[in-house]
Amino acid sequence: MTTWRPDPSFYPSPRMAAKAPKETIAYVAAFDPDRQRPDAIAVIDVDPASASYSQIVGQVDMPNVGDELHHFGWNACSSCLCPNAPHPHVERRYLVVPGLRSSRLHIVDTKPDPRNPRIVRVIGPSEIADRANYSRLHTIHCGPEGIYVNALADRDGNAPGGIFLLDHDSFDVLGQWEMDRGPQRLAYDFWWHLGHDTMITSEWGTPDTFENGLVPEVLLGSNYGRKLHFWDLHKRKHLQEIDFGEEHQLVFELRPAHDPTKAYGFVGCVISLKDLSASIWTWYRDGDQWAAKKVIEIPAEPADPDLLPPVLKDFKAVAPLVTDIDLSMDDRFLYVSCWGTGDMIQYDVSDPLAPKETGRIRIGGIVSRATHPKAANGALNGGPQMVEISRDGKRIYFTNSLYGAIDPQFYPDGIDGWMVKLDAGDNGGISFDENFFVDWPKGHRPHQVRLEGGDCSSDSYCYP
């Protein structure tokens, strides 16, 4: 919808965004792993002054079953203020919600009542296949000239996966983004450096290697994703790939610096085939090329095989399984979700090539089953997974489910969903908000979190 003035939640720079008003609600994707009931977007009250704080206060159900809601994003954000393709008169109003399994796109209107969103359009998989030749929709980013959607497969469920665009206003599918994809075949996440006209993409696998769970032979054969790809954002042309090597598998979440003058970012690698460790890598500009360096390694923890799921018993250890990361708006603190051990770790990344740990909490975990002060059911399962940070960097929210078919491989007793919040100190350190614990209703599991007005992984900026 067109407005006379720029949306007040749009900010030219990350410095200005960090001064935005506090969020009062969060939107969370919730899915039914058994695919018997519709998935939903839940609305959580995150205002500590509210009588319904830490409660689900609204929900919009999808019209079908089996979508597997996963990641989602806004129709428009601060990138609409960029000088190369300005759209300052659109508003942050609609959530664009893909089904990873169904390949449907849902357009959810959060106005006039943000606590009672409603679906205004569903774009079916055949329309997306016909116009963009893609399926298995994953990540949404609001760009300067349109809404970017990435997909893990082509229309038939095979490689290559890639990116397509939607129109800001009509939500019509415009078509495939790539003009020259070079050697890129696998897809997972994508982000960009608007100030350096660069797109970065990462890798998972094709649907036959994850829709029924991770395939041990594919993992041990080093056939999941292990590369970063760098693209000319304007020309839509592949420029360079960086191979992390056969040891490293599942190169997942990308978090570039928010400051558009900075040409670096962070990516998590879920597992090492050598020792089950997880790692964080920094990509950066090195002369006229891009380079990447492993800057954090998180070791596996020895464990009693009787406490481990079948997939880990022979290793006699718990893999950290870094499955999400997030970067604070000032580019100072990186948060790392260790879904296997149950740790959420905070690093000071002021020097992006030399991070320093500044905080750590544990909740859930394959063996630890660590609890929360407000949890009524004692030992918790699942572990820190999708993490989101408030724009001022003071509040960190996360949930505990990874993916319907993979959850039982590591938590065979099942996952009872929950969502928690941490408070962050100005100079590091994290602690639980003891009054915030959402015990998720049975039948759904929570995944990605989006905050009212934007958050630290929703917007990109063209001014420092």
Side-chain angles (χ1 to χ4, degrees):
M1 179 175 289
T2 301
T3 60
W4 284 108
R5 296 181 179 180
D7 188 303
S9 72
F10 294 174
Y11 293 91
S13 71
R15 291 183 301 106
M16 296 177 69
K19 300 175 183 178
K22 292 181 180 180
E23 69 284 354
T24 61
I25 58 174
Y27 297 98
V28 180
F31 70 98
D32 174 15
D34 298 321
R35 304 194 293 278
Q36 299 299 309
R37 67 180 70 186
D39 297 347
I41 295 294
V43 186
I44 314 298
D45 187 334
V46 297
D47 180 1
S50 170
S52 54
Y53 181 57
S54 183
Q55 297 178 29
I56 298 174
V57 294
Q59 180 169 303
V60 56
D61 292 335
M62 301 300 104
N64 300 281
V65 298
D67 285 306
E68 183 108 24
L69 299 191
H70 199 65
H71 295 188
F72 64 108
W74 291 103
N75 66 302
C77 57
S78 300
S79 63
C80 290
L81 303 180
C82 289
N84 57 310
H87 286 73
H89 301 299
V90 296
E91 62 177 334
R92 188 196 307 266
R93 172 170 180 166
Y94 300 95
L95 292 169
V96 183
V97 183
L100 179 53
R101 185 176 288 267
S102 70
S103 303
R104 281 185 285 263
L105 266 177
H106 309 86
I107 309 302
V108 178
D109 190 354
T110 66
K111 291 186 177 182
D113 182 358
R115 292 188 174 213
N116 290 286
R118 59 190 180 92
I119 296 172
V120 295
R121 183 174 176 184
V122 178
I123 304 169
S126 60
E127 181 177 347
I128 293 165
D130 289 345
R131 293 193 172 204
N133 198 40
Y134 285 134
S135 69
R136 286 22 177 241
L137 315 182
H138 187 264
T139 300
I140 306 293
H141 283 311
C142 34
E145 64 280 84
I147 303 165
Y148 286 68
V149 183
N150 86 321
L152 304 191
D154 68 12
R155 65 188 302 155
D156 299 316
N158 302 314
I163 296 169
F164 64 94
L165 264 72
L166 303 179
D167 183 85
H168 268 311
D169 298 309
S170 68
F171 304 108
D172 289 338
V173 178
L174 299 177
Q176 175 182 306
W177 176 77
E178 299 88 356
M179 295 296 290
D180 177 357
R181 72 172 64 252
Q184 178 266 329
R185 303 292 290 170
L186 300 180
Y188 181 72
D189 198 13
F190 73 100
W191 247 126
W192 45 54
H193 290 294
L194 293 177
H196 300 269
D197 200 23
T198 299
M199 170 88 81
I200 307 99
T201 64
S202 61
E203 298 186 338
W204 185 3
T206 49
D208 60 314
T209 66
F210 63 76
E211 284 191 337
N212 294 311
L214 295 177
V215 180
E217 295 78 11
V218 176
L219 179 64
L220 296 175
S222 193
N223 290 317
Y224 282 112
R226 67 189 204 211
K227 298 175 182 178
L228 285 184
H229 299 272
F230 296 84
W231 309 70
D232 186 306
L233 183 58
H234 178 70
K235 294 181 179 178
R236 298 148 61 185
K237 178 181 179 180
H238 189 280
L239 297 175
Q240 183 185 347
E241 70 174 22
I242 297 177
D243 189 334
F244 286 7
E246 292 187 358
E247 170 194 334
H248 299 99
Q249 286 286 275
L250 304 167
V251 177
F252 268 12
E253 304 291 342
L254 302 165
R255 296 294 180 264
H258 295 91
D259 183 338
T261 67
K262 297 176 180 177
Y264 68 82
F266 304 92
V267 61
C269 179
V270 176
I271 195 164
S272 162
L273 299 181
K274 181 180 72 173
D275 55 13
L276 300 187
S277 64
S279 53
I280 304 296
W281 300 62
T282 299
W283 75 78
Y284 58 96
R285 197 71 177 161
D286 184 14
D288 60 356
Q289 293 284 303
W290 293 92
K293 177 184 177 182
K294 184 192 292 188
V295 294
I296 298 170
E297 186 169 277
I298 303 170
E301 297 183 359
D304 182 345
D306 291 341
L307 301 177
L308 295 172
V311 72
L312 291 176
K313 279 186 184 295
D314 290 346
F315 297 99
K316 299 180 181 181
V318 179
L321 301 176
V322 167
T323 49
D324 195 24
I325 61 175
D326 206 5
L327 181 64
S328 63
M329 192 68 74
D330 60 3
D331 298 326
R332 181 177 177 188
F333 293 108
L334 184 74
Y335 292 85
V336 177
S337 295
C338 301
W339 188 63
T341 54
D343 290 328
M344 175 63 75
I345 311 176
Q346 178 197 59
Y347 294 93
D348 186 327
V349 290
S350 300
D351 180 346
L353 295 176
K356 298 177 181 178
E357 183 177 328
T358 49
R360 182 186 295 238
I361 61 90
R362 177 164 287 192
I363 182 170
I366 292 170
V367 171
S368 296
R369 302 298 173 99
T371 192
H372 183 278
K374 198 179 177 185
N377 55 346
L380 299 175
N381 53 27
Q385 217 287 293
M386 293 306 297
V387 55
E388 198 46 74
I389 309 168
S390 63
R391 289 171 291 183
D392 62 6
K394 296 183 181 298
R395 295 166 300 284
I396 300 92
Y397 304 86
F398 58 91
T399 59
N400 71 324
S401 171
L402 175 58
Y403 180 71
I406 296 177
D407 287 349
Q409 292 183 284
F410 294 93
Y411 292 91
D413 296 334
I415 283 183
D416 296 320
W418 43 260
M419 175 180 173
V420 299
K421 171 184 164 237
L422 306 180
D423 295 319
D426 290 341
N427 294 304
I430 48 177
S431 60
F432 286 114
D433 177 343
E434 297 188 359
N435 295 313
F436 191 100
F437 182 85
V438 183
D439 187 359
W440 214 266
K442 300 299 183 287
H444 275 161
R445 293 177 189 166
H447 196 65
Q448 188 168 36
V449 179
R450 282 277 169 240
L451 302 182
E452 172 190 29
D455 48 58
C456 284
S457 71
S458 64
D459 288 42
S460 47
Y461 305 89
C462 281
Y463 302 91

